[in-house]
């Protein structure tokens, strides 16, 4: 097979994604359920995310680790979720993620939350 510029670019992206994934996964605990934030991940409403997180806990997946990866995505995760098809800076995504986790636990406890 001849390596065209498109194939070389795809290969380079895969190598970058794998290398980044290795660096990130070096910090993941062995028993963790890994959730990657990715544009192509499953989108949920706040209520759906709360129900999903509660279900993970019921199934014994109580050690959740969220990963905000690079723009090329990640090569390894137990599941992928998305908050938008837009791309956000990592610092802003951290705030959005923390807010959504907080909101999910408010919903799970039956407490009021801002809509």
């Amino acid at each position: 097979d001849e390596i065209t510029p498109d194939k070389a670019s795809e290969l380079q992206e895969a190598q970058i994604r794998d290398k980044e994934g290795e660096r990130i996964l070096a910090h993941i605990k062995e028993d963790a359920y890994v959730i990657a934030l990715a544009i192509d991940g499953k989108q949920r409403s706040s209520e759906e995310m709360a129900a999903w997180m509660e279900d993970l806990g019921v199934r014994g997946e109580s050690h959740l680790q969220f990963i905000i990866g690079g723009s090329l995505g990640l090569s390894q995760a137990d599941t992928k979720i998305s908050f938008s098809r837009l791309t956000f800076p990592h610092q802003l995504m951290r705030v959005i993620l923390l807010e959504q986790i907080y909101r999910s636990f408010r919903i799970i406890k039956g407490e009021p939350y801002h809509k």
Side-chain angles (χ1 to χ4, degrees):
D1 274 337
E2 182 181 330
I3 297 181
T4 64
D6 286 342
K7 280 190 179 183
S9 178
E10 288 175 25
L11 180 61
Q12 288 172 327
E13 284 185 9
Q15 289 172 336
I16 291 168
R17 187 174 41 251
D18 290 344
K19 190 161 198 83
E20 180 182 43
E22 288 173 18
R23 286 194 308 268
I24 291 170
L25 291 174
H27 299 282
I28 300 297
K29 302 291 184 197
E30 192 173 308
D31 66 337
Y33 186 84
V34 179
I35 303 163
L37 275 61
I39 289 173
D40 63 340
K42 180 168 177 55
Q43 292 187 6
R44 294 178 168 88
S45 68
S46 294
E47 294 82 4
E48 290 169 337
M49 182 152 172
W52 174 68
M53 288 179 62
E54 185 174 31
D55 183 60
L56 284 173
V58 169
R59 292 185 309 172
E61 301 290 356
S62 58
H63 188 148
L64 307 180
Q65 283 192 270
F66 292 86
I67 298 174
I68 303 170
S71 61
L72 299 177
L74 291 169
S75 59
Q76 297 177 342
D78 292 306
T79 193
K80 295 189 283 185
I81 62 172
S82 175
F83 290 107
S84 172
R85 290 181 25 202
L86 299 172
T87 301
F88 296 102
H90 284 197
Q91 296 83 351
L92 178 58
M93 201 59 237
R94 287 180 191 144
V95 173
I96 294 169
L97 174 61
L98 288 173
E99 166 60 28
Q100 190 56 58
I101 292 169
Y102 170 77
R103 186 176 301 236
S104 292
F105 282 107
R106 299 274 306 196
I107 293 168
I108 290 167
K109 290 181 167 190
E111 297 175 353
Y113 66 98
H114 185 271
K115 288 189 179 186

